[in-house]
């Protein structure tokens, strides 16, 4: 194995010190002279209603109010807060049929908390008090919370161009029969000896990122629109805002603030349009909008909930012959991300096992729930809950061990990946399964738990997953990076990649240091300024290390090549005869011919001319490496989780005793960062399968948009956890790395469900698997 | 919907109990008492508005936590849940209260929240309140007219409503000294470890050998207030605590309670498991001597 100087080392994270010491500046912390405060007036009385009257006059008279804004007082241009349309080619955009159906303020309330107006005032308090004086009257409309309700023929249509409230289905042009499919599913089922089938429900899980939606915007004296935001997609949000406010990109600047967690909640725009619209109304004054947790909950996107039907057929020998599935998701009030997740949910399904044939339908229906969008896993946890439970049901009927079956039938190198036509180029899932099984004592426990009686029953279950590193070729993965070498042989990277806390700026810095042959401390990452940085698609699809790292590596290779060219000139040697050690470039086979990197970087700037003769020395100028990088693949990570649980048969309570997560990460650039991602992913995966769901009453009023009423697992709820990093270098990843950002959330979902199945012999079809549901299932 | 900005109020900082009750006599229902503030400040960020907040911060003498083998336990209005946890006397004499304090909210909240505040909140999910109900506590109220005591059986009138008059200050809760042979325990069910109870049970059993002479059995989250279960107490009184008796109890609890569906659980679930929880809390109370046969 290659010995690296910086790669694979647990260096100090770039953000650790400042965050621990309280020095990190989040948007809410930023104060500016003359700052005004915006308060968005939302409808909390109805989830579906027409605004029949809006009287802002009393609010306008309140002390401290600068202005009040109704729907006509801001741009009425429609937009789509998602950035998916910016990630595909213009042709593909047309095929997908994404639409712009959001407005800054609406006169047709479509979900609890929809925005109808806003106040700008000199203080947050004045804005809040004035907002209370806004008088709105409504005509109540029928509320549709599920696809089953909103697809009824007599339902009110959310959008004329989306009949039947079907916001999205896989488009015929790209997906024949509106399905993601191969083979002849109907024929394959005829060959099946065993068929398993069920309809599941997957919940509306919330990202629960620590920082709620806080923003500042300023339309400045140079007529530039500035927005301070913790978006995870600065460059696409810049373009989106430019489009919405009809400004050239040079007049829109994103100042990315420290991100207090993303997990997809900041994938695209959230309240940037509203904040900027307010700022446009008061040129020259910065406007700050601070959300409460409850407000953030219903205005930022969630995971897609919905009904997920699946059917699988097997031959007696275990051969998986067919899989048919349909995910009908409850999209929420607006189109955002209707297309993406509806597709990928099936893509992860297609990418997992060698079924002879497969057919997946993904449909997104408008509902009067808050919007759905990206959330760590992007459809994969939903598929894992359903697919892995059905596989285990099949294994029981086949009488085979679930690990052995998975090892035999999972897709691997050379098989079509999640994106058909793009075969997998690396896969170490067998090793993941073997090592996880050994770590937890799978075989012994599986045997031991076969025959249990009494009030406490244990179970052990497994699940596997495939994911992606960036979304090439489905989406146009692209990062621009430049690296500038300073006179003192240090370097600054300039790029727009986001660090949401996942550690990417640390690992990108490691990639730069290793590639340049510099020390980790020699590198600084400049980010957050959309004026300075070139394009970056944004932090999505676990792509920042794989694609951003690829860009950093390429830019640094470019800089290093220039360094070596200059060294060759100085040393009068061929580049091929040179090597670098401790920032000194030596000639191979000699001990006295060398030049330091610092001499070269300094020479180009401070000493490129002989002061007496005026003769140029060496190659003048500063070295700058550049890359506009497109990854060649999507380097699929694979992973397996084995969960061990204990079920209280008298109360239905489930306790997860132990999780072993074994992940095929290619190469762990920073093992601590990788483990952190797996730990955090498991916490959210366990939450989805055990406790987390946002829900509504019959009228569509959200009942648990707070941490009091919506429960995530806390530190004391977490089981004993073992993370196993399987390092099998991917041929396309930087230093062999594959992604890990989303992978960790996925297999704990299916593994925990399967462990419960193993303990009680019953599958719970609806997540989260609460004690209420378990008890109902086990008490006859 | 919550707000990031609390509504305006006058913060009053009296320096004695006499001053507090004088202020209460003046402001009555236009005032709220601030001790730990963990409920009040949250309410003020919702729709709750109050003109006067009377803080106990500068009032001396309300921080008493005193145990006397004859007179029992006095918990002053400013005693925090964390202080209960630090008391070896509470742990030894009132295990139910100590166990409730142990799982109460989170460490940060335990450092701030007061035991009496938990009682005054009059929530059916109050953990310390539930334990003290089982232990037979009494609230000591003071006004300009003098003092009176109300036992907890008669204190909670309905959800968030107590027998306190609006000119009265609750200055302490008293719990009788445990007779010899008293066993008590608290147990609850939650969605996650750090959560409000979705179902709670506490018992105080006066045991002579394995015979229960007298019992107080209380439950939380099964009605608008915390409740006692008289039928269960009756089953226990004078009975040998056997596995069969406990099974009887399991089957008898549902008829005694009136739970609802809410964000934390369902009425149906609560009815199904309440009996199991009561059995387990009894077993827990007797556990250290293995009195269950």
């Amino acid at each position: 194995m290659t010995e690296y100087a910086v790669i694979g080392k647990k260096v100090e994270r770039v953000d650790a010190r400042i965050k621990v010491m309280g020095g990190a500046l989040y948007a809410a912390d930023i104060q500016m002279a003359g700052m005004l405060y915006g308060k968005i007036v939302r409808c909390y009385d109805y989830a579906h209603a027409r605004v029949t009257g809006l009287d802002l006059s009393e609010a306008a008279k309140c002390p401290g109010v600068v202005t009040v804004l109704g729907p006509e007082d801001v741009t009425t241009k429609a937009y789509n807060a998602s950035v998916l349309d910016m990630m595909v080619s213009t042709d593909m955009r047309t095929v997908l049929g994404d639409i712009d159906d959001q407005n800054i303020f609406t006169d047709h309330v479509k979900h609890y908390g929809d925005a109808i107006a806003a106040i700008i005032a000199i203080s947050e308090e004045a804005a809040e008090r004035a907002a209370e004086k806004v008088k709105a009257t409504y005509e109540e409309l029928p509320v549709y919370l599920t696809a089953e309700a909103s697809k009824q023929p007599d339902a009110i249509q959310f959008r004329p161009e989306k009949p039947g409230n079907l916001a999205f289905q896989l488009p015929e042009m790209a997906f024949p029969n509106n399905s993601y499919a191969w083979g002849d599913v109907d024929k394959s089922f005829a060959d099946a000896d065993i068929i398993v089938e069920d309809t599941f429900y997957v919940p509306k899980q919330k990202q629960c990122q620590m920082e709620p939606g806080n923003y500042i915007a300023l339309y400045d004296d140079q007529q530039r629109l500035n927005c301070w935001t913790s978006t995870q997609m600065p460059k696409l949000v810049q373009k989106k805002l430019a489009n919405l406010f009809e400004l050239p990109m040079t007049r829109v600047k994103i100042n990315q603030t420290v991100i207090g967690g993303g997990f997809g909640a900041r994938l695209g725009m959230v309240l940037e349009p509203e904040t900027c619209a307010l700022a446009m109304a008061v040129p020259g004054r910065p406007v700050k909008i601070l959300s409460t947790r409850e407000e953030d909950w219903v205005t930022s996107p969630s995971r897609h909930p919905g009904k997920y039907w699946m059917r699988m057929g097997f031959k007696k020998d275990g051969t998986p012959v067919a899989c048919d599935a349909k995910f009908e998701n409850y999209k929420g009030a607006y189109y955002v991300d209707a297309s993406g997740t509806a597709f990928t949910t099936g893509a992860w399904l297609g990418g997992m096992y060698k079924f002879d044939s497969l057919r997946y339908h993904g449909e997104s229906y408008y509902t009067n729930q808050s919007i759905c969008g990206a959330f760590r896993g992007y459809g994969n946890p939903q598929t894992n809950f359903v697919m892995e439970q059905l596989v285990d049901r099949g294994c029981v009927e086949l009488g085979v061990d679930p690990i052995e079956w998975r090892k035999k039938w999972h897709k691997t190198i050379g098989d079509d990946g999640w994106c058909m036509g793009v075969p997998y180029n690396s896969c170490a899932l067998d090793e993941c399964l073997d090592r996880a099984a050994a770590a937890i004592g799978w075989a012994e426990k599986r045997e031991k738990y076969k025959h249990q009686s009494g009030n406490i029953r244990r179970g052990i279950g497994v699940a596997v997953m495939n994911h992606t590193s960036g979304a090439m070729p489905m989406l146009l993965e692209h990062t621009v990076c430049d690296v500038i070498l300073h006179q003192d042989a240090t370097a600054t990277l300039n790029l727009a990649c986001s660090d949401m806390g996942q550690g990417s700026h640390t690992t990108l810095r490691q990639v730069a240091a290793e590639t340049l042959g510099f020390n980790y401390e020699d590198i600084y990452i400049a980010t957050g300024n959309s004026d300075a940085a070139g394009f970056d698609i944004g932090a999505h699809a676990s792509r920042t290390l794989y694609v951003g790292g690829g860009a950093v590596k390429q830019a640094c290779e470019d800089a290093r090549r220039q360094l070596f060219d200059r060294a060759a000139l100085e040393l009068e040697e061929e580049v091929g005869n040179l090597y670098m050690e401790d920032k000194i470039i030596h000639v191979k086979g000699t001990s006295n011919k060398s030049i330091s990197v610092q001499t070269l970087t300094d020479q180009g700037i401070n000493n490129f001319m002989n002061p007496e003769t005026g003769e140029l020395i060496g190659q003048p100028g500063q070295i700058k490496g550049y890359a506009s990088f497109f990854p060649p693949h999507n380097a699929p990570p694979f992973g397996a989780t084995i969960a061990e649980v204990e079920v209280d048969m008298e109360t239905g309570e489930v306790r997860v005793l132990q999780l072993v997560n074994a992940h095929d990460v290619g190469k762990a650039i920073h093992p601590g960062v990788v483990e952190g991602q797996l730990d955090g992913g498991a916490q959210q995966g366990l939450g989805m399968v055990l406790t987390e769901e946002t829900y509504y009453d019959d009228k569509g009023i959200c009942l648990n948009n707070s941490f009091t009423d919506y429960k995530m697992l806390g530190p004391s709820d977490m089981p004993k956890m073992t993370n196993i990093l399987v390092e099998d270098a991917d041929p396309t990843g930087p230093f062999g790395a594959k992604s890990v950002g989303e992978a960790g959330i996925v297999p704990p979902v299916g593994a925990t469900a399967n462990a419960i199945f193993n303990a009680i012999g019953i599958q719970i079809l609806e997540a989260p698997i609460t004690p209420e549901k378990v008890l109902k299932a086990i008490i006859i | 919907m919550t707000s990031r900005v609390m509504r305006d109020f006058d913060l009053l900082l009296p320096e004695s109990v006499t001053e507090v009750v004088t202020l209460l006599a003046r402001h009555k229902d236009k005032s709220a008492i601030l001790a730990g503030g963990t409920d009040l400040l949250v309410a003020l960020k919702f729709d709750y508005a109050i003109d006067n907040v009377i803080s106990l911060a500068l009032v001396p003498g309300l921080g008493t936590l005193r145990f006397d083998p004859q007179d029992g336990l006095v918990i002053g209005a400013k005693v925090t849940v964390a202080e209960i946890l630090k008391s070896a006397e509470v742990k030894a004499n009132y295990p139910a209260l100590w166990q409730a304090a142990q799982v109460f909210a989170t460490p940060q909240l335990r450092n701030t929240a007061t035991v009496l505040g938990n009682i005054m909140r009059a929530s059916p999910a109050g953990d310390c309140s539930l334990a003290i109900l089982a232990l037979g506590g009494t609230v000591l109220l003071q006004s300009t007219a003098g003092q009176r005591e109300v036992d907890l059986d008669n204190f909670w009138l309905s959800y968030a409503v107590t027998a306190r008059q609006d000119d009265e200050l609750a200055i302490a809760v008293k719990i009788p000294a445990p007779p010899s042979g008293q066993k008590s325990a608290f147990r609850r069910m939650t969605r996650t470890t750090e959560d409000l109870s979705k179902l709670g049970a506490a018992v105080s059993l006066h045991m002579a050998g394995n015979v229960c002479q007298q019992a107080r059995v209380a439950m939380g989250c099964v009605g608008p207030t915390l409740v006692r279960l008289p039928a269960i107490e009756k089953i226990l009184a004078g009975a040998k605590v056997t596995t069969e008796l406990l099974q009887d109890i399991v089957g008898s609890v549902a008829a005694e309670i009136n739970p609802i569906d809410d964000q934390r659980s369902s009425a149906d679930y609560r009815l199904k498991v309440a009996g199991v929880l009561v059995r387990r809390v009894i077993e827990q109370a007797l556990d250290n001597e293995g009195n269950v046969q």
Side-chain angles (χ1 to χ4, degrees), chain A residues 648 650-654 770-776 779, chain B residues 189-190 198-199 257 259-261 264-275:
Chain A
D648 185 327
E650 288 186 300
T651 64
E653 290 173 302
V654 173
T770 60
E772 285 77 4
K773 290 173 192 166
V774 174
L775 195 69
K776 208 170 200 170
I779 288 184
Chain B
M189 296 175 72
T190 52
K198 69 180 187 187
L199 198 62
I257 58 175
I260 56 166
D261 291 338
R264 300 198 286 282
S265 189
S266 65
D268 180 53
Y269 179 78
R270 286 167 164 137
L271 285 167
K272 278 184 184 141
V273 300

Side-chain angles (χ1 to χ4, degrees), chain A residues 518-652:
Chain A
F518 285 18
N519 302 312
Y520 177 68
E521 295 74 20
D522 296 334
I523 313 291
Y524 178 73
I525 292 201
T527 55
N529 178 347
S530 70
D531 285 344
F535 184 78
D536 175 73
I537 201 170
H540 81 118
S542 304
R543 53 83 71 186
T544 303
L545 175 63
Y546 180 69
V547 186
V552 167
K553 189 158 181 279
Q554 200 174 78
C556 290
E557 281 165 353
D558 183 22
R560 187 181 161 109
R561 189 162 48 241
Q562 294 176 51
L563 258 184
F564 272 66
D565 284 347
R566 292 187 187 198
L569 204 66
E570 288 297 311
L571 299 168
E572 297 175 329
E573 279 287 345
E574 295 289 316
V575 169
N577 281 342
L578 305 179
Y579 69 99
M580 193 200 289
E581 199 174 271
D582 296 331
K583 294 170 79 176
I584 295 171
I585 297 173
H586 301 271
V587 178
K588 286 177 190 163
T590 66
S591 57
N592 55 357
K593 259 183 113 179
S594 66
I595 188 164
S596 74
V597 170
Q598 189 173 341
T599 304
L600 291 166
T601 52
D602 183 68
Q603 188 182 63
I605 294 170
N606 289 327
N607 291 300
F608 61 80
M609 192 190 288
N610 182 322
E612 288 173 16
T613 65
E615 210 174 320
L616 293 180
I617 301 168
Q619 195 175 328
Q622 185 165 21
I623 294 176
K624 185 175 187 179
Y626 175 81
S628 185
F629 178 77
F630 320 95
H633 201 273
N634 55 48
F638 291 86
T641 290
I642 300 180
E644 186 180 8
V645 304
E646 196 168 83
V647 181
D648 185 327
M649 301 300 281
E650 288 186 300
T651 64

Side-chain angles (χ1 to χ4, degrees), chain B residues 158-175:
Chain B
S158 62
Y159 177 75
V161 180
T162 71
R164 180 186 84 95
Q165 300 297 311
D166 53 25
D167 64 346
E168 288 179 317
L169 173 68
I171 57 172
V173 58
K174 294 159 68 173
I175 307 178

Side-chain angles (χ1 to χ4, degrees), chain A residues 32-39 64-67 119-124 127 215-217 275 278-279 281-289:
Chain A
M32 293 178 193
M35 182 104 87
L36 298 175
Y37 293 83
K39 178 72 189 175
V65 169
V66 174
T67 189
I119 311 290
I120 302 176
I122 56 166
S123 71
E124 203 182 351
Y215 306 86
I216 302 167
T275 314
L278 266 57
V282 286
R285 304 286 301 269
V287 179
K288 191 178 206 176
I289 287 187

Side-chain angles (χ1 to χ4, degrees), chain A residues 35-299:
Chain A
M35 182 104 87
L36 298 175
Y37 293 83
K39 178 72 189 175
I40 296 171
V41 181
R42 302 184 177 281
C43 173
Y44 292 117
D45 298 324
Y46 304 100
H48 201 191
R50 275 186 216 291
V51 182
T52 51
L54 183 67
D55 179 359
L56 303 173
S57 59
E58 287 300 312
K61 287 181 211 153
C62 287
V65 169
V66 174
T67 189
V68 293
L69 301 168
E72 305 300 322
D73 303 320
V74 292
T75 179
T76 53
K77 200 174 172 204
Y79 64 94
N80 175 339
S82 160
V83 288
L84 263 179
D85 54 346
M86 302 268 151
M87 298 172 144
V88 295
S89 65
T90 314
D91 289 349
M92 193 59 187
R93 207 176 293 169
T94 313
V95 170
L96 287 175
D98 284 6
I99 60 165
D100 294 334
D101 62 353
Q102 290 169 276
N103 288 98
I104 304 289
F105 305 124
T106 187
D107 59 4
H108 182 173
V109 170
K110 290 177 178 165
H111 71 91
Y112 173 77
D114 220 348
I116 59 167
I119 311 290
I120 302 176
I122 56 166
S123 71
E124 203 182 351
E125 185 172 10
E128 282 214 4
R129 296 299 164 249
E132 290 165 4
K133 301 287 183 197
V134 172
K135 289 180 199 140
T137 52
Y138 299 96
E139 176 201 345
E140 194 176 354
L141 299 173
V143 171
Y144 312 107
L145 291 173
T146 63
E148 298 78 59
S150 78
K151 70 161 80 158
Q152 293 306 314
D154 58 346
I156 289 171
Q157 299 297 294
F158 281 57
R159 293 297 303 183
E161 66 272 51
K162 299 290 182 186
N165 287 328
L166 178 58
F168 176 84
Q169 64 174 335
L170 297 177
E172 184 67 31
M173 193 184 272
F175 302 95
N177 302 311
N178 305 110
S179 64
Y180 191 60
W182 70 78
D184 184 336
V185 169
D186 297 323
K187 190 166 168 292
S188 297
F189 271 117
D191 296 339
D193 299 314
I194 290 166
I195 292 174
V196 290
E197 172 182 357
D198 235 318
T199 301
F200 296 77
Y201 171 78
V202 287
K204 190 172 179 71
Q205 187 185 20
K206 196 74 192 83
Q207 295 88 346
C208 300
Q209 80 291 350
M210 289 219 285
E211 181 199 14
N214 298 327
Y215 306 86
I216 302 167
L218 166 66
Y219 191 64
D220 69 18
D221 296 343
Q222 298 177 67
Q223 296 185 304
R224 299 185 87 215
L225 179 60
N226 301 267
C227 185
W228 286 260
T229 165
S230 56
T231 180
Q232 53 189 93
M233 327 288 283
K235 295 302 284 190
L236 293 186
V237 169
Q238 179 191 17
K239 181 74 174 88
K240 275 266 167 179
L241 290 173
N243 289 359
L244 176 58
F245 294 99
E246 299 173 273
L247 296 168
M249 287 179 78
T250 48
R251 283 176 54 201
V252 177
K253 182 182 179 192
I254 302 297
N255 301 279
Q256 191 186 40
T257 52
V258 175
I259 305 176
F263 312 110
R266 307 183 196 287
L267 202 150
M269 301 189 291
V270 188
L271 301 187
E272 288 91 345
E274 290 90 332
T275 314
C276 289
L278 266 57
M280 298 290 275
V282 286
R285 304 286 301 269
V287 179
K288 191 178 206 176
I289 287 187
L290 299 164
S291 303
T292 62
R293 174 62 57 184
E294 291 80 356
E295 187 178 10
D296 180 84
W297 211 287
V298 295
T299 53

